[in-house]
Amino acid sequence: MKKQTIAINTPFPHNDAYGSLSMPVYNTCAYEFATAADMTAAFTGKVLEPDYSRTMNPTVTHFEDRVKALTGAANVFAFNSGMAAIHNILITLTATGKNIITSRHLFGNTYSLISKTLKRFGVEGRFIDLTNLVEVEAAIDDNTSCIFLEIITNPQMEVADLNALSEIAHKHGLPLVADTTMIPFIVFNSYELGVDVEVVSSTKYLSGGATSLGGLVIDYGTFPVVNERIRFEFLFNLGAYMTPHAAYMQTLGIETLNSRYQLQSDNALQLSRRLYEKLGKSGWTKLTSINYIGLESHPSHDLAQRQFGPTGGAMITIDLVDESACYDFINNLKLIHRATNLFDNRSLAIHPYSTIFGNFSQEEKSMMDVLPTTIRLSIGLEDVDDLFGDIQQALLNS
Ligand code: PLP
């Protein structure tokens, strides 16, 4: 079956008592067993049946099963946010005295998790240029625990070569972990590109229009420690498992994921092409650049197409002449919403420098190439003429 069919028709592990077509929301904490022996089997992990909803819940399992069917992964774990998923996978793989090789270009909280939180537990983050393979080789030592990256960095839009990085990682016996939030797994296959574990903020494309927070660890089974630690240790001890209601909404989100994603990507491509044509034109002098992976002019365009296929996702960044022009632009928007988040059904605009990275030092922002002149746009499902019109009026009046 093709992915769109699987997305709608993944079977339930047990027949529903009433023949419900959608997986019911099992808002329950605990489950009753027929016998003491059945209880023992579930509690000791001999059978994978729910005993307590901190570690397993039928609605969440069904959501995980759909992701498993769509990705071909060995194990999928759903968490209550993308950050919870990232935290769980990193502490699965690393430990005191170990280091994580990663990029200077990371989502702000992921950078903070590694550089502050994990640092307090004796883990070192090595923030390097992952597009420079010589630098990657040089950064690895006997204490390296994994290579972690985002497939398209946010907001810098850098793309690293996954095949090349996985070759280096595997030569040293290390897992390659990729945050694939920017391009959904229905349009490309990370495992074929050498990724061992994917993490996704399912808050974004999957949730079906910003309905709920969620995160996924998608484990391709190449490093058995991932399943052992998460399933039998962290779900129990950390309590970051997804809630059944979020899983229900995100299961519905998966059903429409492909349609929404294709339209949002197409809108982003059309909009960025139209804005690109306006660069340097009279009335448009405040606009200094358009950064979109789907534009042929983007330095990572070819690599992105080779890895992720023809679509470029729904995130665009634009640069304006200075920070005050960015504030004016955001204040003038009438349709595009002044809000964080990515891949809602509605379009969103944010100035990352003063918000997501607002409490970072100037030194950190410079190191991460987060510029005061950049605006990040997440393109939604609106008509592209209306989006272009809003950007045009906001720029011309600023
Ligand atoms: N990874 C990326 C690339 C993100 O953009 C985000 C959030 O914006 C996250 C992870 C964190 O996800 P969540 O907000 O679901 O915790």
Side-chain angles (χ1 to χ4, degrees), residues 81-83 86 107 110 150 154 179 181-182 201 203-204 213-214 342:
S81 71
M83 285 316 302
I86 295 170
F107 170 59
T110 305
E150 291 168 15
N154 157 21
D179 179 333
T181 301
M182 290 294 156
S201 165
T203 314
K204 309 296 188 307
L213 270 87
L342 286 164

Side-chain angles (χ1 to χ4, degrees), residues 99-103 126 128 130 136 139-140 144 146-149:
N99 64 71
I100 296 169
I101 309 279
T102 188
S103 169
R126 296 191 174 166
I128 63 166
L130 291 183
V136 177
I140 295 175
T144 300
C146 62
I147 300 180
F148 177 89
L149 81 162

